[in-house]
Amino acid sequence: MDNLIINQGFPLLSFLIFFPLAGAAVMLFFRDESFARFWTLAITTITALVSIPLVTGFDTTTARFQFVEAHAWIPRFNISYILGIDGISILLVMMTTFIMPFCVLASWRYIKTRVTPFMVCLLIMETSMLGVFMALDFVLFYILWEFMLIPMYLLIAIWGGPRKVYASIKFFLYTLAGSILLLVAIIALYLQNGSFFIPDMMWQNYSQTFQILVFLAFFLAFAIKVPMFPFHTWLPAAHVEAPTAGSVILASILLKMGTYGFLRFCLPITPDATFILAEPILWLSIAGIIYGGFTALAQSDMKKLIAYSSVGHMGFVTLGIFLLNTRGMEGAIMQMINHGVTTGALFLCVGMIYERTHSRELSVAAGVGRYMPWYVTFLVFFSLSSFGFPGTNSFIGEFLVLAGAFDVNVTLALAAIPGAVLAAAYMLRMLQRIVWGGTNNPDQSYLTDLNVREIITLTPFLIFVFWIGLKPQPFLDLMNTSVVALLEQLNTWQQHGVAMNMILQ
Amino acid sequence: MAILPELILLTGAFAFFVLSLFRQLDQVQLKNTAVCFGFLTFLGALISVRSEATLFFGSYQVDFYSQLFKLMIGFGLAVAMVFGRHLKDVDESIRPEYFMFLFLSTLGLTLLVSAVELVTIFISLELSSFAIYLLVPMRSDARGRRFQMEAGIKYILFGVMATGFMLFGMSYLFGLTGTTYLNEIVAGLRNAPEAAVVFAVVMVMAGFFFKMAVFPMHFWVPDVYQGAANETSGFIATVPKLAAVALLIRIISLSSDSTTIIYLLMFLALCSMFYGNLSALVQTDIKRMLGFSGIAHAGFIMLGLLTMDPAGYGIAIYYICGYVMMNMACFLVICNVSREGENLAIEDLKGLHKRQPVLALILALSLFALGGIPPFVGFMGKFMLLTGTLQAGGTENLIYLIVVILAAVNTAIAIFYYLSVVKAAYTSDADEELPPITVDGLNQAVGIGLVVLMLIMGSLPDTFVALADSAVKTMLLP
């Protein structure tokens, strides 16, 4: 337990987890729709504000887990209720708490039927997502990881588009099927260690076969969640059919759980397997980047386009993680945040067009720039950010990842470059169509520009785009110590392994 | 005091016998009597939960193990009376008899969990079985339906066959040891040839596999569930399985760690899971679907039994208890949605969220629980069963690992058909406008109570498993 800094005083993390849940419970007793909107906005805003002390009180000089709360839960199996955050998870936690209020704002008019249940689902989502990033006990992690499927399924299945049934069931089955072997792996790890406490499982001398099996079980669960090529097919369907808030949550937060899983579990628990299997995963990431780019180029549905672009962007994240060097890993974490900000904002933009034209087709939205100047201004910035234009946030992440890739393997880095070019191609193609279109634009004169609520929704995203893009250092500082510590341990582990081999020979 | 629940059940059965003699009967009063006796049984079991006694020349053991099961049976009966009291599809004239047989059957089950002698076991089992056989064809045939008769005949034929297997096994046990008392049999079997022991134990278990619907004794399940009235199916699907688990644990502990039996149980467990889940995928009638899902869940319970270790038995008890709650919640919804007691197709649940939001919520949550989604009891049970199984085999034992992986795969298969019901209830609207469903307060309260209980059992399992554990220990001590 020496790697934990126990939280004294107010249980901040528990509050963040249970406050939205309590808010959802209160709503069960009120049926009024506008009450539900304001109440949920209030709850999510308070959660976001309360989470600020996490950053201000965060000690960037240590890689230990901070704000830790530990209580016994199921002593029979040595399962505890342990929460804690470190440099890897803090940004994800903050992003989750801060994106939720905007999801509520984005659903203000978009959701017209069964508003109260929708808001309950959103709040329950927030609870389980925060819990996943904070849990330091594997069973707690797994419970929240699985539980999340219910509200997300309902978000897609009830408030989704025309093919919602297909998309929601595909989403549920895919993710569930991926994570059942994770459960078996967790149990196997428990039998080796006698505890479900995650830090206890790290850096143990498991046999190589065991590590590889556990790694593969982890990989299946996390790769489906990311999603990595070729496990990505559920993503476009789910994105296209989900309501705006659902798409934003899915893109900004849910996908990050997969890559978070790689960082938190695969690397420290199964280091030998990571060294052995990193190479194929790097190439799978490259495949994802290129594949995502090309398919996005061919889409005429805006949501599908952004969904496929997510496959490409998340490819950069997995690429950065399995480069196993500081630049790559910091770039990957940055890219997780950037993708959350940028793609979340893009989905919000698509949602705003959809509310007006009731279509996501590029051809229907062609030429709206003439009538919605504010809207296209935002859209242009977010699109620039999406393909990593210098000065925006994604540039930092992609640059770091590519720089890390050049350190490791030049061929690999060169293979990833076309992905960046493709990103520019599909994003500019979309922008051209939406802002100007052609000579045969549909009549758009009935469109109204963004209202104040929508501008308020988008502005914070824009601030973060430029904040991270122009001054990324504070963000990098938060994660630096944890990343360096993780890589140091990996290196020691590898050298130790090499030394052992030399002795054995 | 030691046999208080049994006495209450017997009194209840007699009361209904007397009521059946009246020509003009107040139906409301009848229903209230049924609910009252249901709750009284539960209360009686609660009062006598800590009593201990050995009765009837040592053939009847009242200890914490039996009392815990009686408590669960009493709870199941009380809930079954709440959602089953209306008996929409049973003729008014035979309702008192229906209740009488139901209480007699429950009496048989409570006797069964206390029975520690072969003949007592046999008599209690037959008392409970024959009473249930009669309940199935009691469904009204006013609308020219005959499938309840088919179901009744199937049930009785398969049941008699299973009893035959069991008696055959019992004759072996008696032949090998010269006694019918279980505790003496355990001692006697130590020197007996292994093949004979395995054969005898498996044959006796077959009788209870039938009750629990384990492959290959499951053939009656879908037809009986479909043919019997909704209320009857709700009872058959839950309460008898409790007693079956109690007896399986008793019998399996006779066979001191025979690997043959372990592998056989593994095989049956996997067959039950795959058969149940794959068949449930294509069902359109919700009761048939729940029937097949019950076969799959029986397979999961076998995982707890095959660990051959008290902790594993404790988890099996925890799991069956959770299963009974989840299933009862589902049947509560079915009985209330079905307007005149007709069978429900999954399609008929369309738009339930509009017609009756509380029932829709109860249904959705209990189906997610059955599917093993946390934080409900279904997940915790499966998680502990898988952990226990892997622990029993040790991480090096590949066979146990494969069994656990296949069981986990089954969870993923199962979620599809549970989801399809949730989908109907929540995401689609009915083709034509259907009237809202009214549910009385008692049903709503019990349904919500069941869901809350599932949640509590799933998120704070320690107390419950500890209880089941200590019960198993009292049973194994002598």
Side-chain angles (χ1 to χ4, degrees), chain A residues 152-432:
Chain A
M152 195 64 215
Y153 165 78
L154 293 175
L155 281 182
I156 302 175
I158 298 180
W159 295 277
R163 292 174 75 217
K164 58 189 183 182
V165 171
Y166 164 78
S168 56
I169 289 192
K170 189 167 183 180
F171 161 77
F172 202 115
L173 281 185
Y174 242 93
T175 347
L176 186 89
S179 44
I180 46 167
L181 288 182
L182 178 66
L183 183 66
V184 179
I186 293 173
I187 296 174
L189 281 168
Y190 162 71
L191 294 181
Q192 296 258 344
N193 290 299
S195 154
F196 283 106
F197 183 47
I198 293 168
D200 276 358
M201 293 178 173
M202 299 174 177
W203 317 110
Q204 301 287 336
N205 274 311
Y206 308 119
S207 73
Q208 204 181 58
T209 341
F210 181 77
Q211 282 201 29
I212 288 181
L213 288 176
V214 169
F215 185 94
L216 289 177
F218 281 168
F219 177 76
L220 190 66
F222 299 143
I224 286 177
K225 203 84 167 185
V226 170
M228 285 180 77
F229 178 83
F231 303 106
H232 64 278
T233 53
W234 63 269
L235 182 79
H239 263 320
V240 169
E241 301 306 327
T244 305
S247 293
V248 175
I249 292 178
L250 203 56
S252 300
I253 306 164
L254 240 60
L255 305 193
K256 308 304 175 295
M257 287 175 186
T259 43
Y260 171 75
F262 282 131
L263 278 171
R264 175 68 80 230
F265 304 114
C266 285
L267 268 49
I269 294 179
T270 57
D272 289 334
T274 309
F275 291 125
I276 295 169
L277 295 168
E279 188 81 14
I281 294 180
L282 287 175
W283 286 104
L284 266 186
S285 310
I286 299 283
I289 295 172
I290 308 283
Y291 173 87
F294 272 114
T295 32
L297 202 53
Q299 301 306 318
S300 61
D301 179 314
M302 283 184 276
K303 265 194 166 176
K304 249 190 187 158
L305 192 154
I306 301 171
Y308 278 112
S309 85
S310 289
V311 176
H313 287 146
M314 293 311 284
F316 271 105
V317 180
T318 44
L319 180 69
I321 291 173
F322 283 95
L323 289 172
L324 305 178
N325 59 27
T326 322
R327 280 193 192 126
M329 207 173 281
E330 291 196 345
I333 300 176
M334 271 328 287
Q335 187 67 4
M336 278 153 78
I337 306 299
N338 296 336
H339 179 259
V341 172
T342 307
T343 310
L346 281 172
F347 274 119
L348 288 175
C349 288
V350 175
M352 288 169 189
I353 274 287
Y354 183 78
E355 275 182 66
R356 289 170 170 76
T357 63
H358 300 286
S359 160
R360 294 177 308 258
E361 286 296 312
L362 270 177
S363 53
V364 177
V368 302
R370 209 176 135 194
Y371 300 98
M372 300 176 70
W374 276 102
Y375 174 76
V376 292
T377 314
F378 278 109
L379 187 69
V380 166
F381 280 124
F382 292 132
S383 306
L384 288 182
S385 152
S386 178
F387 65 80
F389 196 76
T392 61
N393 55 353
S394 299
F395 175 73
I396 309 292
E398 279 183 28
F399 176 79
L400 280 171
V401 170
L402 286 176
F406 271 108
D407 282 350
V408 172
N409 184 343
V410 178
T411 335
L412 196 72
L414 287 177
I417 297 284
V421 180
L422 277 170
Y426 60 72
M427 273 300 160
L428 290 175
R429 170 175 164 269
M430 184 184 90
L431 273 186
Q432 193 277 330

Side-chain angles (χ1 to χ4, degrees), chain B residues 214-215 262-278 295-296 298-300 302-303 306 386 399-410 413:
Chain B
V214 175
F215 180 91
I262 294 182
Y263 288 133
L264 182 75
L265 290 184
M266 269 183 195
F267 176 71
L268 295 184
L270 287 178
C271 287
S272 301
M273 288 180 209
F274 276 104
Y275 178 87
N277 280 329
L278 292 178
I295 298 173
F300 267 97
M302 303 286 276
L303 290 183
L306 61 80
L386 296 182
I399 298 178
Y400 280 80
L401 183 66
I402 291 171
V403 170
V404 166
I405 289 177
L406 290 178
V409 168
N410 264 286
I413 304 175

Side-chain angles (χ1 to χ4, degrees), chain B residues 86-343:
Chain B
H86 297 304
L87 291 179
K88 293 169 187 161
D89 213 10
V90 175
D91 265 348
E92 285 193 0
S93 55
I94 53 167
R95 280 181 193 171
E97 282 93 339
Y98 179 95
F99 284 123
M100 181 184 82
F101 285 123
L102 193 81
F103 273 78
L104 278 179
S105 166
T106 317
L107 174 66
L109 295 173
T110 47
L111 293 176
L112 190 58
V113 295
S114 270
V116 287
E117 192 257 353
L118 293 183
V119 179
T120 320
I121 292 177
F122 176 69
I123 291 174
S124 332
L125 182 69
E126 291 310 281
L127 176 61
S128 75
S129 302
F130 274 90
I132 300 190
Y133 298 152
L134 285 168
L135 294 184
V136 177
M138 276 190 174
R139 191 175 193 178
S140 153
D141 54 0
R143 270 164 276 166
R145 275 172 325 202
R146 281 284 177 272
F147 58 49
Q148 66 273 40
M149 305 302 169
E150 180 198 336
I153 290 291
K154 269 190 182 157
Y155 198 19
I156 211 169
L157 288 181
F158 279 115
V160 167
M161 184 188 73
T163 313
F165 280 128
M166 192 183 72
L167 279 178
F168 190 45
M170 284 181 172
S171 72
Y172 262 72
L173 286 181
F174 180 72
L176 287 166
T177 58
T179 172
T180 55
Y181 288 90
L182 287 183
N183 53 354
E184 289 169 23
I185 289 177
V186 178
L189 285 182
R190 285 206 188 105
N191 311 322
E194 202 202 327
V197 176
V198 169
F199 182 77
V201 169
V202 170
M203 282 294 152
V204 176
M205 280 199 293
F208 298 100
F209 286 165
F210 167 78
K211 280 260 164 211
M212 211 168 78
V214 175
F215 180 91
M217 311 294 283
H218 64 275
F219 288 103
W220 58 278
V221 173
D223 290 328
V224 170
Y225 277 33
Q226 190 185 18
N230 294 335
E231 294 85 356
T232 320
S233 312
F235 181 80
I236 294 176
T238 49
V239 183
K241 292 191 179 178
L242 287 167
V245 171
L247 264 288
L248 277 174
I249 294 175
R250 270 199 208 282
I251 289 159
I252 208 165
S253 53
L254 296 180
S255 72
S256 57
D257 280 8
S258 152
T259 44
T260 323
I261 291 195
I262 294 182
Y263 288 133
L264 182 75
L265 290 184
M266 269 183 195
F267 176 71
L268 295 184
L270 287 178
C271 287
S272 301
M273 288 180 209
F274 276 104
Y275 178 87
N277 280 329
L278 292 178
S279 317
L281 286 177
V282 292
Q283 301 306 320
T284 50
D285 183 295
I286 187 161
K287 279 197 292 175
R288 277 184 89 89
M289 188 212 87
L290 283 175
F292 281 113
S293 107
I295 298 173
H297 281 278
F300 267 97
I301 291 165
M302 303 286 276
L303 290 183
L305 301 181
L306 61 80
T307 57
M308 295 273 177
D309 133 76
Y313 301 153
I315 297 168
I317 295 175
Y318 170 83
Y319 192 87
I320 188 67
C321 181
Y323 173 74
V324 166
M325 285 181 196
M326 303 185 275
N327 228 7
M328 289 222 143
C330 289
F331 274 101
L332 182 140
V333 175
I334 294 173
C335 289
N336 278 298
V337 171
S338 166
R339 228 173 310 161
E340 283 153 23
E342 74 282 6
N343 277 358

